[in-house]
């Protein structure tokens, strides 16, 4: 019988290469969408992407399908593929889920006591206080994201964290934080809310930490929607009916 070991090895090597290319394209595109580098509504051409990544169209096509399942890409047959642009209803529903998940995480963290994430949250707020004083919105937006990530990590619940990460990806949260912080005075109020949450976590008050965390998420949602409304009114053509 002919020796098929070399053929099997070649097939495995090709499969691994394909998997690696697909994973790389997924990771790169996901990062660019979440960061806002690829804005909502941006057209995603398989040909252009395959050339940009130096791969065939197959891993690009597979990557786009995966990102569609994550809610980051919208594939429209016979029209094209685009970066998803969440509707107001979708943003509302996603923030409702964010409120539930982050409230639960704050409760779980409060129940754990003096864990390493608690010290990291304290350090985060010191840096965030300074950013707010200096008016550094970009820096503060980074620290807001870190604060919420630390709450989630501190909950020490892998299933909760997995659902949360999917949610944050769908929201493209980095971009939305900047939008909500554009509301005058929002950064100062946000930082005060973060301090209140941390006080209750330190006190091991799970009920209070969950309640205040949920109130904070609702306040962030209201600031975001107000900012989006203001942007829409600014962008609207003058003299409309």
């Amino acid at each position: 019988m002919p020796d098929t070991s070399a053929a099997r090895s070649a097939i495995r090597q090709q499969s691994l290469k394909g998997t690696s290319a697909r994973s790389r394209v997924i990771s790169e595109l996901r990062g660019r969408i979440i960061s806002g580098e690829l804005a909502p509504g941006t057209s995603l051409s398989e040909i252009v992407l395959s050339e940009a990544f130096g791969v065939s169209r197959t891993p690009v096509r597979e990557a786009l399908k995966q990102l569609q399942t994550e809610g980051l890409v919208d594939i429209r047959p016979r029209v094209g593929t685009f970066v998803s642009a969440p509707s107001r209803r979708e943003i509302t529903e996603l923030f409702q889920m964010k409120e539930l998940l982050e409230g639960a995480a704050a409760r779980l963290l409060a129940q754990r006591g003096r864990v390493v994430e608690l010290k990291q949250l304290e350090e985060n707020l010191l840096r965030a206080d300074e950013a707010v004083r200096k008016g550094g919105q970009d820096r503060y937006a980074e620290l807001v994201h870190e604060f919420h990530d630390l709450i989630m990590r501190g909950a020490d619940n892998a299933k909760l964290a997995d659902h949360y990460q999917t949610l944050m990806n769908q929201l493209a949260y980095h971009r939305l934080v900047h939008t909500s912080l554009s509301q005058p005075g929002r950064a100062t109020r946000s930082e005060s809310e973060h301090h209140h949450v941390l006080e209750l976590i330190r006190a091991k008050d799970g009920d209070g930490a969950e309640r205040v965390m949920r109130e904070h998420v609702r306040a962030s949602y209201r600031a975001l929607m107000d900012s989006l409304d203001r942007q829409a009114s600014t962008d609207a053509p003058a003299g409309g009916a």
Side-chain angles (χ1 to χ4, degrees):
M1 294 179 61
D3 183 3
T4 59
S5 60
R8 286 198 298 268
S9 177
I11 290 170
R12 282 199 300 270
Q13 296 264 347
Q14 189 63 37
S15 177
L16 288 172
K17 287 180 181 177
T19 301
S20 175
R22 174 181 177 274
S23 299
R24 179 166 63 89
V25 175
I26 290 173
S27 179
E28 286 283 339
L29 285 177
R30 184 191 288 124
R32 293 179 190 181
I33 292 170
I34 293 169
S35 69
E37 181 181 343
L38 291 174
T42 299
S43 176
L44 300 172
S45 163
E46 286 185 10
I47 296 174
V48 172
L49 290 173
S50 66
E51 292 176 351
F53 285 108
V55 298
S56 70
R57 292 177 64 177
T58 298
V60 170
R61 187 177 303 115
E62 292 172 347
L64 292 174
K65 287 179 180 177
Q66 172 60 33
L67 293 174
Q68 182 184 37
T69 68
E70 296 178 16
L72 297 177
V73 161
D74 182 16
I75 299 176
R76 305 173 197 168
R78 296 182 296 279
V79 176
T81 301
F82 305 88
V83 176
S84 294
S87 66
R88 290 177 68 93
R89 179 181 178 86
E90 287 171 327
I91 292 174
T92 298
E93 291 175 348
L94 289 167
F95 261 88
Q96 288 170 345
M97 292 304 301
K98 185 176 188 291
E99 178 187 332
L100 292 172
L101 295 176
E102 291 192 356
R107 171 188 287 275
L108 291 171
L109 176 52
Q111 293 170 352
R112 294 187 66 207
R114 189 74 191 180
V115 294
V116 65
E117 288 83 5
L118 193 56
K119 178 174 177 55
Q120 292 171 341
L121 282 166
E122 292 167 346
E123 294 169 352
N124 170 276
L125 288 186
L126 288 174
R127 296 193 299 272
D129 288 343
E130 181 180 5
V132 171
R133 281 196 303 271
K134 292 181 176 179
Q137 183 173 311
D138 288 345
R139 176 58 175 154
Y140 182 62
E142 293 174 1
L143 292 165
V144 166
H145 191 71
E146 180 183 89
F147 178 87
H148 289 264
D149 275 352
L150 286 169
I151 294 284
M152 194 57 55
R153 291 211 304 269
D156 194 30
N157 185 306
K159 296 299 183 185
L160 187 66
D162 286 346
H163 286 297
Y164 182 75
Q165 189 57 59
T166 298
L167 180 71
M168 291 298 96
N169 289 350
Q170 290 178 357
L171 275 170
Y173 189 59
H174 289 282
R175 185 174 66 248
L176 294 187
V177 166
H178 281 278
T179 303
S180 66
L181 291 176
S182 68
Q183 186 186 58
R186 178 57 198 157
T188 300
R189 293 191 298 273
S190 169
E191 186 64 359
S192 176
E193 292 160 10
H194 283 185
H195 277 280
H196 194 185
V197 170
L198 183 57
E199 288 170 7
L200 293 166
I201 290 173
R202 277 187 185 136
K204 300 183 181 180
D205 181 354
D207 289 343
E210 179 172 7
R211 174 178 54 80
V212 172
M213 190 67 182
R214 292 184 63 164
E215 290 172 354
H216 168 59
V217 175
R218 288 197 295 272
S220 297
Y221 166 75
R222 290 192 296 270
L224 171 63
M225 300 312 280
D226 287 346
S227 295
L228 291 175
D229 287 342
R230 190 168 62 250
Q231 288 180 4
S233 63
T234 301
D235 295 339

